[in-house]
Amino acid sequence: MDQEGKQLKEYEHENHKKQLFSLPRFRKSSITKPLFSFPICVTCTSNGNICVVDVLDNDNRGRVVVLSPGGDVLGTYTGQPDVNTEDKPFTPVRILTTPLDNIIVTDMENHLLHILTDQGQSITYYNLRDIGILYPYSLALSTSGTIFIGCVSPKESPDTSKAKLYELNYSGF
């Protein structure tokens, strides 16, 4: 929206329409595929790419969709094949971009941070469990080179009301 509240853009469907045959008459019809199932978090890069965490099902399986400023899909990230499996799917929750336009995504159920390019391709991932950080949920970035990670406790845990906040120094992102 602009300063006066006028809607500027809407990103709901892919820009490229698919041709399908409709039964029983076999006529061609143009339909557009929805871009998102359940978008829960959005950010953007300095060059205007739009980064969206999209939840796909009730098990919180998800993906990151990166759009150009014009609405074209630049990339879709669904996790790392060596850590995100059928039993441990990619469960993204929050997302942020760094000053170098990298994308950082929390993978809550797997205790991971995924680092992506500004177009959604994988650079690397970090297993936060190795440093004692579990269930990363929210993210914030300071100008001084600090990432804040807010964590939740699992539902069945006796500590469900005890959230934790971690402060990590970063460089090169």
Side-chain angles (χ1 to χ4, degrees):
M1 299 183 97
D2 65 12
Q3 297 280 347
E4 287 78 40
K6 179 182 170 192
Q7 182 177 326
L8 298 176
K9 290 230 179 193
E10 180 179 66
Y11 301 94
E12 182 180 356
H13 299 283
E14 289 186 22
N15 283 345
H16 308 289
K17 295 181 179 182
K18 295 184 178 183
Q19 293 291 321
L20 293 182
F21 291 97
S22 59
L23 297 175
R25 291 173 252 186
F26 298 103
R27 286 189 326 211
K28 284 188 178 181
S29 64
S30 288
I31 65 163
T32 56
K33 181 180 173 187
L35 280 173
F36 309 110
S37 296
F38 190 70
I40 60 168
C41 194
V42 179
T43 191
C44 65
T45 62
S46 64
N47 63 2
N49 291 352
I50 303 160
C51 313
V52 181
V53 171
D54 187 30
V55 175
L56 302 172
D57 61 28
N58 289 337
D59 293 327
N60 296 318
R61 295 172 195 269
R63 63 187 181 157
V64 173
V65 179
V66 181
L67 305 174
S68 71
D72 293 319
V73 176
L74 297 174
T76 302
Y77 179 76
T78 57
Q80 285 289 334
D82 55 329
V83 293
N84 296 118
T85 64
E86 187 64 32
D87 294 333
K88 295 181 177 187
F90 181 51
T91 56
V93 181
R94 295 294 183 259
I95 190 169
L96 63 75
T97 55
T98 69
L100 295 178
D101 278 344
N102 291 317
I103 302 165
I104 302 177
V105 185
T106 57
D107 185 354
M108 186 177 73
E109 297 294 329
N110 298 300
H111 321 289
L112 300 172
L113 285 184
H114 295 260
I115 314 299
L116 313 176
T117 67
D118 69 334
Q119 296 194 2
Q121 284 82 38
S122 175
I123 295 173
T124 191
Y125 65 90
Y126 294 101
N127 187 338
L128 296 172
R129 175 177 254 158
D130 292 345
I131 58 174
I133 299 176
L134 302 176
Y135 301 103
Y137 187 84
S138 58
L139 290 169
L141 191 64
S142 76
T143 56
S144 64
T146 302
I147 294 177
F148 295 96
I149 303 172
C151 297
V152 297
S153 297
K155 290 179 185 176
E156 63 277 357
S157 168
D159 294 332
T160 55
S161 62
K162 295 181 181 178
K164 295 180 181 179
L165 179 65
Y166 295 92
E167 182 179 338
L168 301 174
N169 291 327
Y170 75 92
S171 63
F173 286 74

